[in-house]
Amino acid sequence: MANNLLARVSGSVISTPPARTGFFKSGHPRAGEEWVIETVNVLVGDQDVTAVQLPRRDVRGQFEGLGEVRLAKGAPVDFLVEISVFRGDPQARVVAQYPADAALDEASAA
């Protein structure tokens, strides 16, 4: 049985909260290194807000796998996300931009 699932989060950015940061504790393979978690809040279907965790940034400062995605307030986004449970709470982590070919296939099937 799977411990997570994939879903699509499409909508417009309503906010980008400040990044959370900290350091890996001793005993962790990356002990002493800084970790950064960045999220974006997306208004989905003009009904509710979904917070999604963004991928790490690469050496150029871009989110890995997202290219030059625009996350300004009001910008449209279309993400493929992995949903899992961490400490009893659901979390959505962006895996990639939703594949354009898949979006076209779904539109033509409707």
Side-chain angles (χ1 to χ4, degrees), residues 53-69:
Q53 180 180 326
L54 298 165
R56 291 184 193 153
R57 290 186 184 264
D58 61 20
V59 293
R60 295 171 295 155
Q62 296 179 345
F63 294 105
E64 293 177 357
L66 297 185
E68 295 184 28
V69 66

Side-chain angles (χ1 to χ4, degrees), residues 6-103:
L6 294 178
R8 182 179 187 178
V9 172
S10 300
S12 58
V13 173
I14 62 166
S15 66
T16 51
R20 295 179 296 170
T21 62
F23 292 90
F24 289 104
K25 296 180 180 180
S26 61
H28 189 279
R30 294 173 54 195
E33 288 183 45
E34 184 177 30
W35 54 261
V36 177
I37 298 176
E38 294 182 82
T39 58
V40 64
N41 295 316
V42 180
L43 178 62
V44 178
D46 288 329
Q47 294 187 21
D48 206 352
V49 176
T50 298
V52 296
Q53 180 180 326
L54 298 165
R56 291 184 193 153
R57 290 186 184 264
D58 61 20
V59 293
R60 295 171 295 155
Q62 296 179 345
F63 294 105
E64 293 177 357
L66 297 185
E68 295 184 28
V69 66
R70 184 172 170 258
L71 297 175
K73 186 175 181 177
V77 294
D78 194 11
F79 294 133
L80 177 64
V81 300
E82 178 183 67
I83 299 174
S84 59
V85 176
F86 180 71
R87 295 185 180 166
D89 294 322
Q91 64 179 16
R93 184 181 59 82
V94 174
V95 175
Q97 297 270 16
Y98 196 81
D101 292 342

